[in-house]
Amino acid sequence: MSDITGSELDRRTLLRRAAAVGIAATPAVGMLSACVGGGADEDTPEQATGEKSADNPLGIDPKTGIEIVIFDGGLGTKYATDVDTPLYNKKWPDSKVTYSATQEVSTVVQPRINAGDAPDMINNSGSKLMDFGAVVNAGQAQDLTELFAAPSFDIAGKTVAETLVPGAIEQGTYNGKPYAVNYAYTVFGLWYNKALFTKNNWTVPETWADFTALLAKIKAAGITPYGYAGANASYYQVRAILTSAGKIGGEQVLKDIDNLKAGAWKNDAIVKAAAAWAEVGKTYLDKSFLGLKHTEIQLRQNQDKLAFYPCGSWLENEQAKDTPPGFEYAVAPFPSVTTADTLPAAALNAAAGEIYFVAAKGKNPRGGMEYLRTMLSKEAALGFTKLTKSLTVVAGAADGVTISPGLTSANEAVGKAGKDIFMGYLFDTWYKKLDDESRAAANDLMFSDYDAQKFADRMEAAAQAVASDSSVTKFTRS
């Protein structure tokens, strides 16, 4: 996970990293451009080019250097210095890579973009990332169509696009064109200690009936069956509810929510999901968790005082210093709520995040794209995964490689889900008031009133208030 520092802001940032499929914003481009500076024809330096060939599909000048800026957060920077750059220079030894790292991308990079001195490839991440929609609308991000159409760096017979997981390109697409590589791949689900489950002969459930039956067994064993931190991580529970709703009714249920469609929150799939989770909250959730933070809950799980925890695949790396020997992180998809769910039990909420883009007005955008082509090689992706315990969007890059229990489990879950992987929702990124209300409503549902219809009605009212507020910029997801 990007920028894992223990702060809630940085944890939240990861969940906002994936761009929408075909995002379209309603405000004028000029307003967004003002955030970044520079018009389409303004102060573009002479850009390096070379002759295209089978060995040089993007037509880079092999003697011109490139400059990259990497965010120094939870993923570290060694993947860039120890994996990607050496791999790039092995192929292009005369192209010097100038590297720098920062924890304040917008502070360091945005003024340079405004001044016409942009680095060639930028990792836009962290709590001080740039507004990438504004960067795109100002014409400052390179269209990556050629990159994705180019041959893979090291997978014969495939284009770069053909080596990626489903939805990877779409998540970096704005108004029909790809502008970003969303590189890290986050798997969301129910996290548990596989060793504890093996010891007690507990089988990971696929149906809701099996889930609640197992929760009862766990409770009888003196362990809290399920929990999340109500004080600062209630959006984990929002994701659990809405993932279940998406499995019941299909991803269109979540798209309708994002698009502020009237009646979206009252969809039967959402009411059924909320009712199922309310019962879990009423019977199997420790009420003291309402006032606790995520670090406190995660530590309880490391101590085998908590069985199931809803989270993303950054969890294992984040808890590394507190994970005792013998603890084996594993993840399971949220169980099917009904016997007629639209998506199967193995269906998974997973999304690409961690934005990397090429500056359209840098000195060497073709070199920047070639660096990204290097990153999207199988060799670079595996190196990244070994160093960060995070999957990438390069499909199968970590197959057959044992790095850590949680990563292995996440990779296996992705394989089992196959085509039944869905991105989830984006309203929490777009509409802060609606996000805040969903967090409060989820806590009330799970800790106090246990009323699914009240939850749905409350969220519908909040969504329509946003929809009717002309001062709020609206976005559309296709």
Side-chain angles (χ1 to χ4, degrees):
M1 175 185 179
S2 170
D3 201 14
I4 299 173
T5 64
S7 75
E8 176 62 13
L9 175 61
D10 292 340
R11 293 168 62 82
R12 174 173 172 153
T13 295
L14 171 75
L15 301 183
R16 302 173 183 281
R17 198 68 66 229
V21 176
I23 289 177
T26 57
V29 170
M31 183 182 75
L32 290 171
S33 299
C35 301
V36 181
D41 301 315
E42 185 178 302
D43 298 331
T44 301
E46 184 176 350
Q47 296 180 328
T49 59
E51 186 175 344
K52 289 186 179 181
S53 66
D55 191 52
N56 185 8
L58 294 173
I60 77 164
D61 179 350
K63 294 186 181 298
T64 298
I66 60 171
E67 181 184 0
I68 66 170
V69 176
I70 301 296
F71 171 68
D72 186 3
L75 296 173
T77 61
K78 287 180 72 64
Y79 68 90
T81 59
D82 295 9
V83 177
D84 299 336
T85 296
L87 191 57
Y88 174 89
N89 277 142
K90 183 178 180 180
K91 183 172 180 62
W92 307 110
D94 295 327
S95 177
K96 180 183 177 181
V97 178
T98 301
Y99 156 88
S100 61
T102 182
Q103 293 185 343
E104 299 186 356
V105 178
S106 61
T107 303
V108 172
V109 177
Q110 192 162 303
R112 292 189 56 187
I113 289 179
N114 294 349
D117 181 37
D120 298 302
M121 197 286 290
I122 299 139
N123 172 202
N124 186 37
S125 186
S127 59
K128 292 189 177 182
L129 79 167
M130 292 182 290
D131 179 342
F132 192 62
V135 172
V136 170
N137 278 283
Q140 299 286 4
Q142 175 73 24
D143 181 345
L144 301 180
T145 299
E146 282 190 73
L147 165 66
F148 293 121
S152 164
F153 195 85
D154 64 357
I155 302 176
K158 290 189 176 183
T159 65
V160 171
E162 290 168 341
T163 68
L164 307 183
V165 297
I169 296 174
E170 287 80 1
Q171 286 178 248
T173 295
Y174 288 70
N175 297 329
K177 292 184 178 181
Y179 290 100
V181 171
N182 290 49
Y183 191 66
Y185 198 56
T186 300
V187 175
F188 299 97
L190 287 170
W191 289 83
Y192 63 98
N193 178 8
K194 185 178 180 180
L196 176 67
F197 276 51
T198 299
K199 175 183 175 182
N200 288 283
N201 294 315
W202 293 336
T203 301
V204 175
E206 294 186 357
T207 69
W208 207 261
D210 288 344
F211 182 41
T212 53
L214 178 57
L215 295 180
K217 286 183 181 179
I218 294 170
K219 186 175 182 179
I223 298 170
T224 301
Y226 177 86
Y228 71 95
N232 72 339
S234 54
Y235 62 94
Y236 290 6
Q237 186 57 39
V238 176
R239 183 169 293 273
I241 295 166
L242 294 184
T243 298
S244 292
K247 294 181 78 165
I248 294 169
E251 194 172 12
Q252 188 61 47
V253 171
L254 307 182
K255 291 181 179 180
D256 289 346
I257 286 175
D258 286 344
N259 292 332
L260 303 176
K261 181 179 178 180
W265 283 95
K266 293 187 177 184
N267 188 295
D268 188 54
I270 291 178
V271 177
K272 285 180 178 177
W277 280 109
E279 194 60 35
V280 171
K282 185 176 182 179
T283 310
Y284 302 111
L285 179 63
D286 187 329
K287 302 306 180 284
S288 72
F289 287 8
L290 178 61
L292 298 183
K293 295 182 179 180
H294 68 279
T295 49
E296 296 171 295
I297 302 298
Q298 290 165 193
L299 183 59
R300 289 194 182 203
Q301 186 177 45
N302 291 145
Q303 297 168 342
D304 282 338
K305 296 177 181 178
L306 171 68
F308 284 116
Y309 181 63
C311 197
S313 49
W314 64 80
L315 177 64
E316 182 180 41
N317 198 45
E318 185 174 48
Q319 288 300 109
K321 65 180 178 61
D322 293 316
T323 303
F327 190 101
E328 298 178 39
Y329 272 113
V331 65
F334 293 108
S336 299
V337 175
T338 77
T339 57
D341 281 7
T342 299
L343 297 176
L348 200 64
N349 176 205
E354 198 71 21
I355 291 172
Y356 297 78
F357 76 98
V358 173
K361 299 181 181 181
K363 299 178 182 67
N364 192 2
R366 295 203 164 272
M369 285 196 290
E370 179 69 4
Y371 194 91
L372 288 180
R373 191 170 78 101
T374 306
M375 287 182 65
L376 291 170
S377 67
K378 187 172 182 178
E379 182 177 348
L382 179 57
F384 176 92
T385 297
K386 287 179 176 179
L387 286 171
T388 66
K389 297 181 183 177
S390 297
L391 296 171
T392 72
V393 293
V394 180
D399 287 355
V401 179
T402 301
I403 297 170
S404 66
L407 177 63
T408 299
S409 178
N411 199 31
E412 289 175 351
V414 168
K416 290 178 182 177
K419 64 180 178 58
D420 295 310
I421 293 175
F422 59 102
M423 185 175 71
Y425 53 88
L426 293 157
F427 75 88
D428 61 332
T429 303
W430 295 343
Y431 310 116
K432 187 177 186 303
K433 286 185 178 180
L434 194 56
D435 178 35
D436 290 344
E437 186 70 2
S438 72
R439 294 164 179 246
N443 272 350
D444 286 348
L445 176 75
M446 297 296 291
F447 286 102
S448 58
D449 60 41
Y450 316 115
D451 189 329
Q453 191 61 55
K454 182 179 177 181
F455 171 85
D457 291 344
R458 176 178 177 177
M459 290 309 303
E460 176 67 17
Q464 291 312 302
V466 172
S468 62
D469 187 345
S470 61
S471 70
V472 177
T473 299
K474 307 302 193 301
F475 296 89
T476 301
R477 177 182 172 191
S478 62

